Every structure is written in structure tokens, then in C-alpha cells.
């Protein structure tokens, strides 16, 4: 008996409306993601990374093939999955405090004591304890993104889907959030699908990197990252294996950059 | 347990802020400052005017006329009736406008079906509605309410429609991916997100409601400030006409200030005030 994977795509095709009619964005994509894996989806701008993630999240419907989560076909958002959007400013409710934003996904289902405890715990995991009664519009971009991550964590998801969550942040904040994310994943054991166009970020975080290419997009490469955990911003990035992967991926993208 | 690599800035949560009531007081004060030219004009009028003038009696005679009307028991009930009509109509117009506007904003199909009809109804001048409504409904409070709602509905409806259309796609997707139910999505996400648009609509609708309320009272002589004003004019009581005009002006001014204060308070958490 084999272990059931968290995510599975079989000959997945996605078409989206475009100017000349429907356009095929993703074609015949096969993918399997084991539970507890950290998988990054890497690719140039406009290849379809977001589209693939949205399909797996049940926010975009696919035209043919299968997108499966925990053995069930995904057609609409399913329990157990939480999505973190790149655009944190619009994903948060500006009229709710940090605490109440974090509670948003769970407050309907839990009793008060339990709710408070879950919310506190999620806020602790992203290090925002001191700001829990503040409104998001009074926080910095990085802090707002942490609120969104805490909101996802409060739902205790078994899968976390993140679309360039650190794309809009400065290098320092980015590094800090990467480490927090790794620690959270180690603590919760969640499966993470992480869309990024930052090669070094993908290597630093992942077990597996998937390279999307072409139009319509397919998986061009699947790279296993064998770096020890816990990872460290300085030590890990000086390991020969890290440098080899970095070289390999930049090489793979060289054509893209100059195309 | 984990902490950020870079330490967070000193906490500001729980810090003292200026309560919204100060914002409201500020608003009232700046509005009063704006009234200074009018007050100066009235003072000048008082000093230079002739108290026996049949057309331009000075403000002191207005006050006397208003006190007369108050003592005869006409003024206060009239103000209350008009206030009640305006308030009830605004509440009704807001509920209807948010409901219909929300549906139209959310559904392009519905917008196509209803759009032209609504556009036609919207351009009908409210005064022309009064006779029609009086014929069909009769001269009563229901008719008055209907006419006021008919005029006050559009700003709320249009603003809500535009508000729904400009809701950010990410907000809608976040609501979907959090798997909130229909009711939770409405009350926790859509209504608060639309609140600024709705309140703008209400601010525009309020003066319209007052105008149409007075108009209906004047055209039908149903009790209210409008009827009182028309009666004073018919009796050639210029002082009373001016006095009632001041009452109507203050009425609108206070209603607007109250709505502004409510807006400050309601939008405070959104950081919009
Ligand atoms: N809502 C949409 N409707 C129609 N086509 C879309 C839509 N969103 C994206 N597309 C198209 O799908 C393709 C893939 O877009 P997608 O957003 O998935 O790219 P991406 O890999 O996430 O790019 P980026 O790194 O810039 O975010 C693009 O060519 C785009 O034109
Ligand atoms: Mg994208």
C-alpha cells in the first residue's frame, strides 16, 4: 500500500478566457506532492504559477484532467487548505484588528475559549503578540503579510498554499519571514505549495522545486533539494550543494532571461 | 517558539487616541465657522432692517413669529412629523438601495435587465411623482414615504452598485478561500467593505429626502414643515416664512452634521477619517 499524496494532478489542463478566445494556460500537467512536503513552483512571469496554485485551491476550475487533494477532486475551496495571497493589503479586513482578522476563518466554528487560544497561538507563531489589537493599516507591509499568514495558520491547515507571499517585501523582512515559515512548517507539519520567482528563496525553503515553462505551461524540471534542516540564512547558503543548485537553476533560466 | 530576526518596533497597541467625538466636534466647529458670513449677514439685516417691512422683516421678528407658532402648538409637531418622515424614508431607502444596488453590482445579467428601467425611473423628477402617487395611493403618510423613498433611493443604489463593482478581487477570493457561509460573507466582509460607499450615498440622499418631504407637504398640505411654510406664505406672514426657512435650514444642517458624525464613527476602524 502506498501513502496517499496530499496533492495530485493528472493531465491537468486549464483554459482561461483571453483576447482571441480561450487560451490554454496549463497543459497535461502531472504532479504529485507528498504530505508534509515543501514544494516551490518556480517560473518566469506569466507562465501560469498563480493559475496552477489557484486551481489546486479550488479558486479556478480546470477544463480537463484531475486536480486532487487528499483523494478528492478539487472543484471549490475545501476544508484543510489555506491560501495566502501576495496582495496582503486587499486580503485583510482593514476594519478588523489583527486578532479579529486572524479569527476570521475559525470564529464561526469554535467556542470562545478555544477560539482565543487558537488565535493567540497563530499570532505567536508569526511574532505579532504585541500588535494583536492594532488595525492592519497601522502595520508595515511585512507585518500585514504576517497577519495574513497567521490567519491561515489559525485554521490549522494541513496544506498551505502561498502565492509569492514575500514578493513585495524588502530583503531583511523576507529573510525573517522565510525563517518563520520554515519554523511554522516544522511545528505544524503542513504541506506547503509555494509560488515564487525568486530562485534562492525556492532553494532555501523547499524539498522539491518545480520549474514551470512554456506557453501553455508544463513542468520542465523537477529538482530535489537535499539540504539539511533546520536551515540557516548564512550557513545553508554557503553549502556546496546550495551553490550547485543555485548554479543549475540560474543556468536553466538563462535562456528565459535572454529570450 | 519563534521570534523575528529583526525585532519588532515598540508596541503601539492600546495607545491613547483621540476619540471620534473630538473629530465630530471638529466637524461641527468647522461647519459653524463656515456659517460666519451668514450670521454676519443676519446681524446686518437686524441692524439695518425695518421691523414693519412687509417683505423683508428683520430676524428678531422671525423669532417672535416662531415663538407664536410654538405657543400655538403647530411648530414642534410639524418639525417632528417631517423629521419622522425623513428618517423613516432614509432608513427604507438605504435598505432598498443597498439590497437592489448590491444585487445589480454583483450580477451583470441583472444589471442588463434592470438597468434601462431604473435609469428611466431615476430621471423622473420627484415633483411629478407626487400627483401620480397621490392618485394611486391617496394622500396619506404611505404616499409621502413612497415619494421620499423614490427620490432618496437612487444615490444609495448607485453608490452601492459602484461599490460592489470596485470590491477588490483578492478580497472576494479571500472570502471564498476562507469558506465563509453566505451570511458571514455578507455581514463580515461585504457590508463593512461597502460601508464607505453606502454612507456617501446616504449623505447625498439626506438633503434630497428633506426637499421631497417638504415638497410633498406643500403640494398636499399634509402636516409638516412644508405645509406650515405654505400656510404662512398664503397669509402674507413674511416674518414667519423667514423664520420657518431658518428652521428648515437648521434641520438640514443638523441632519447632515449627525450623518457626518456617524460616518466618522463608523469608518474610524477603517482608517478613513
Ligand atoms: N483572470 C484571468 N483571466 C484570463 N487570463 C488570465 C487571468 N489571469 C491570468 N491569466 C493569463 O494566464 C497566464 C498565466 O498567468 P499567471 O497569473 O498564472 O502567471 P504567473 O506565473 O503567476 O505570473 P507572475 O509571476 O507574473 O505572477 C498569463 O498569460 C495571463 O495572461
Ligand atoms: Mg502570479
Amino acid at each position: 500500500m502506498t501513502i496517499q499524496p496530499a496533492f495530485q494532478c493528472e493531465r491537468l489542463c486549464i483554459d482561461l478566457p483571453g483576447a482571441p478566445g480561450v487560451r490554454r494556460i496549463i497543459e497535461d500537467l502531472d504532479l504529485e506532492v507528498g504530505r508534509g512536503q515543501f514544494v516551490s513552483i518556480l517560473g518566469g512571469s506569466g507562465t501560469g504559477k498563480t493559475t496552477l496554485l489557484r486551481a489546486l485551491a479550488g479558486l479556478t476550475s480546470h477544463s480537463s484532467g484531475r486536480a486532487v487533494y487528499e483523494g478528492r477532486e478539487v472543484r471549490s475551496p475545501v476544508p484543510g487548505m489555506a491560501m495566502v495571497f501576495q496582495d496582503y493589503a486587499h486580503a485583510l479586513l482593514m476594519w478588523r484588528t489583527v486578532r479579529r482578522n486572524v479569527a476570521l476563518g475559525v470564529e464561526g466554528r469554535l467556542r470562545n475559549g478555544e477560539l482565543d487560544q487558537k488565535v493567540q497561538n497563530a499570532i505567536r507563531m508569526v511574532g505579532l503578540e504585541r500588535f494583536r489589537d492594532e488595525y492592519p493599516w497601522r502595520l508595515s507591509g511585512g507585518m500585514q503579510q504576517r497577519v495574513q499568514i497567521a490567519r491561515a495558520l489559525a485554521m490549522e491547515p494541513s496544506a498551505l498554499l502561498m502565492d509569492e507571499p514575500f514578493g513585495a517585501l524588502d530583503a531583511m523582512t523576507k529573510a525573517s519571514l522565510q525563517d518563520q515559515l520554515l519554523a511554522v512548517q516544522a511545528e505544524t507539519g503542513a504541506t506547503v505549495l509555494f509560488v515564487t520567482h525568486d530562485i534562492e528563496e525556492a532553494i532555501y525553503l523547499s524539498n522539491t522545486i518545480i520549474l514551470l515553462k512554456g506557453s501553455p505551461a508544463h513542468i520542465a524540471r523537477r529538482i530535489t533539494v537535499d539540504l539539511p534542516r533546520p536551515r540557516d540564512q548564512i550557513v545553508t547558503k554557503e553549502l556546496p550543494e546550495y551553490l550547485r543548485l543555485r548554479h543549475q537553476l540560474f543556468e536553466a533560466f538563462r535562456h528565459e532571461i535572454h529570450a | 517558539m519563534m521570534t523575528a530576526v529583526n525585532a519588532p518596533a515598540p508596541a503601539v497597541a492600546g495607545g491613547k487616541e483621540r476619540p471620534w467625538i473630538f473629530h465630530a466636534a471638529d466637524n461641527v466647529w468647522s461647519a459653524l465657522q463656515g456659517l460666519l458670513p451668514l450670521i454676519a449677514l443676519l446681524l446686518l439685516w437686524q441692524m439695518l432692517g425695518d421691523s414693519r417691512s412687509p417683505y423683508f422683516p428683520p430676524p428678531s421678528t422671525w423669532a417672535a413669529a416662531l415663538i407664536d407658532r410654538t405657543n400655538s402648538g403647530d411648530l414642534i409637531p410639524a418639525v417632528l412629523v417631517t423629521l419622522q418622515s425623513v428618517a423613516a424614508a432614509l432608513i427604507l431607502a438605504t435598505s432598498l438601495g443597498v439590497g437592489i444596488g448590491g444585487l445589480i453590482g454583483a450580477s451583470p445579467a441583472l444589471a442588463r435587465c434592470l438597468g434601462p428601467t431604473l435609469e428611466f425611473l431615476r430621471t423622473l423628477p420627484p415633483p411629478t411623482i407626487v400627483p401620480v402617487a397621490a392618485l394611486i395611493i391617496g394622500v396619506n403618510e404611505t404616499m409621502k414615504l413612497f415619494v421620499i423613498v423614490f427620490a432618496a433611493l437612487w444615490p444609495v443604489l448607485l453608490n452601492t452598485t459602484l461599490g460592489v463593482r470596485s470590491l477588490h478581487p483578492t478580497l472576494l477570493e479571500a472570502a471564498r478561500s476562507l469558506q465563509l457561509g453566505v451570511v458571514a460573507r455578507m455581514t463580515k466582509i461585504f457590508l463593512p467593505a461597502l460601508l464607505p460607499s453606502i454612507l456617501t450615498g446616504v449623505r447625498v440622499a439626506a438633503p434630497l429626502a428633506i426637499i421631497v418631504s417638504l415638497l410633498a407637504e406643500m403640494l398636499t398640505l399634509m402636516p409638516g414643515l412644508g405645509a406650515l411654510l405654505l400656510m404662512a406664505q398664503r397669509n402674507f406672514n413674511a416674518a414667519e416664512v423667514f423664520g420657518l426657512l431658518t428652521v428648515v435650514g437648521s434641520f438640514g444642517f443638523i441632519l447632515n452634521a449627525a450623518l457626518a458624525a456617524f460616518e466618522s464613527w463608523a469608518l474610524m476602524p477603517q482608517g478613513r477619517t
Side-chain angles (χ1 to χ4, degrees), chain A:
Chain A
M1 191 187 128
T2 54
I3 303 166
Q4 191 183 45
F7 288 97
Q8 212 174 352
C9 297
E10 281 170 20
R11 308 188 65 79
L12 183 74
C13 296
I14 303 170
D15 299 302
L16 290 178
V22 284
R23 214 155 62 78
R24 177 140 293 189
I25 308 297
I26 284 173
E27 186 158 65
D28 287 341
L29 186 136
D30 292 309
L31 175 67
E32 207 164 279
V33 176
R35 288 195 187 133
Q37 291 282 301
F38 196 121
V39 176
S40 287
I41 302 168
L42 201 56
S45 178
T47 37
K49 306 182 293 293
T50 299
T51 307
L52 175 60
L53 196 72
R54 287 166 41 90
L56 289 169
L59 293 170
T60 299
S61 54
H62 48 276
S63 351
S64 66
R66 274 155 46 89
V68 176
Y69 171 67
E70 296 289 348
R72 278 189 306 174
E73 185 95 8
V74 179
R75 284 287 168 197
S76 59
V78 289
M81 251 196 249
M83 179 100 173
V84 174
F85 298 88
Q86 173 174 7
D87 184 5
Y88 46 81
H90 287 107
L92 294 176
L93 307 185
M94 289 298 149
W95 53 89
R96 282 185 170 222
T97 57
V98 168
R99 201 162 42 77
R100 299 197 56 229
N101 260 291
V102 174
L104 186 62
V106 282
E107 62 192 359
R109 293 176 236 150
L110 298 175
R111 271 175 291 104
N112 277 344
E114 207 179 343
L115 176 69
D116 278 347
Q117 197 231 319
K118 288 225 163 106
V119 169
Q120 296 297 2
N121 196 36
I123 292 176
R124 175 189 59 80
M125 285 198 271
V126 299
L128 281 178
E129 292 99 322
R130 288 199 287 164
F131 297 91
R132 59 167 179 256
D133 292 316
E134 199 50 270
Y135 288 104
W137 46 272
R138 292 225 191 91
L139 302 179
S140 72
M143 290 157 85
Q144 291 187 29
Q145 190 56 295
R146 283 192 264 167
V147 176
Q148 208 200 159
I149 294 171
R151 180 173 77 184
L153 293 177
M155 299 170 79
E156 297 182 337
S158 40
L160 203 51
L161 278 58
M162 310 177 95
D163 188 5
E164 299 194 35
F166 311 144
L169 306 175
D170 65 279
M172 293 268 264
T173 314
K174 198 171 175 171
S176 138
L177 288 190
Q178 287 168 351
D179 288 334
Q180 291 188 34
L181 179 59
L182 286 179
V184 164
Q185 197 219 3
E187 190 175 330
T188 62
T191 311
V192 182
L193 291 187
F194 190 94
V195 166
T196 178
H197 54 227
D198 179 337
I199 291 173
E200 307 197 5
E201 177 172 67
I203 305 172
Y204 183 67
L205 294 173
S206 315
N207 301 108
T208 304
I209 298 173
I210 283 162
L211 227 67
L212 278 192
K213 255 194 186 168
S215 172
H218 60 279
I219 296 182
R221 269 282 200 31
R222 214 197 139 93
I223 293 156
T224 307
V225 181
D226 257 329
L227 292 169
R229 289 180 189 268
R231 295 187 181 166
D232 180 278
Q233 292 284 357
I234 298 165
V235 178
T236 302
K237 291 182 176 178
E238 285 169 352
L239 293 174
E241 175 65 3
Y242 177 91
L243 296 173
R244 191 188 64 78
L245 287 166
R246 184 177 177 281
H247 184 103
Q248 182 187 353
L249 280 163
F250 270 103
E251 197 67 54
F253 272 105
R254 189 201 290 274
H255 319 288
E256 199 122 325
I257 295 164
H258 293 286

Side-chain angles (χ1 to χ4, degrees), chain B residues 56-147:
Chain B
F56 299 108
S60 58
T61 62
W62 311 354
L66 285 184
I67 289 166
D68 272 358
R69 272 276 156 252
T70 312
N71 290 340
S72 68
D74 294 330
L75 185 61
I76 307 275
V79 170
L80 290 181
V81 164
T82 304
L83 178 65
Q84 197 191 354
S85 305
V86 169
L90 271 182
I91 291 171
L92 214 63
T94 306
S95 328
L96 277 175
V98 169
I100 303 173
L103 287 176
I104 292 177
S107 153
L110 202 63
R112 253 177 280 124
C113 285
L114 290 181
T117 313
L118 291 179
E119 209 54 37
F120 172 73
L121 291 176
R122 188 166 72 89
T123 48
L124 288 179
T128 62
I129 304 297
V130 178
V132 180
L135 260 179
I136 297 173
I137 307 175
V139 178
N140 52 37
E141 286 300 320
T142 315
M143 183 279 276
K144 190 170 154 197
L145 205 63
F146 173 81
V147 189

Side-chain angles (χ1 to χ4, degrees), chain B residues 44-261:
Chain B
L44 214 63
W45 190 339
Q46 178 62 41
M47 286 187 293
L48 303 178
D50 174 3
S51 65
R52 284 155 317 193
S53 159
Y55 300 119
F56 299 108
S60 58
T61 62
W62 311 354
L66 285 184
I67 289 166
D68 272 358
R69 272 276 156 252
T70 312
N71 290 340
S72 68
D74 294 330
L75 185 61
I76 307 275
V79 170
L80 290 181
V81 164
T82 304
L83 178 65
Q84 197 191 354
S85 305
V86 169
L90 271 182
I91 291 171
L92 214 63
T94 306
S95 328
L96 277 175
V98 169
I100 303 173
L103 287 176
I104 292 177
S107 153
L110 202 63
R112 253 177 280 124
C113 285
L114 290 181
T117 313
L118 291 179
E119 209 54 37
F120 172 73
L121 291 176
R122 188 166 72 89
T123 48
L124 288 179
T128 62
I129 304 297
V130 178
V132 180
L135 260 179
I136 297 173
I137 307 175
V139 178
N140 52 37
E141 286 300 320
T142 315
M143 183 279 276
K144 190 170 154 197
L145 205 63
F146 173 81
V147 189
I148 308 175
V149 168
F150 187 87
L153 174 68
W154 308 111
V156 183
L157 193 152
L158 286 178
N159 266 291
T160 308
T161 304
L162 292 179
V164 170
R165 288 189 185 146
S166 57
L167 283 179
H168 200 279
T170 303
L171 185 68
L172 305 182
E173 298 217 316
R176 270 185 73 200
S177 81
L178 289 167
Q179 297 167 65
L180 302 180
V182 181
V183 178
R185 252 187 264 186
M186 284 292 164
T187 56
K188 292 178 182 173
I189 299 195
F190 296 152
L191 280 180
L194 290 173
L195 198 59
S197 308
I198 295 171
L199 290 181
T200 306
V202 175
R203 291 280 294 275
V204 179
L208 285 176
I210 296 176
I211 294 171
V212 176
S213 170
L214 291 175
L215 197 86
E217 288 156 10
M218 285 170 146
L219 288 176
T220 62
L221 288 184
M222 276 163 59
L225 270 173
L228 226 52
L229 199 59
L230 199 77
M231 235 83 98
Q233 180 255 313
R234 286 190 179 162
N235 296 333
F236 298 105
N237 191 340
E240 194 182 322
V241 169
F242 279 115
L244 288 171
L245 214 57
T246 324
V247 173
V248 170
S250 320
F251 186 93
F253 184 79
I254 292 168
L255 184 63
N256 193 46
L259 284 176

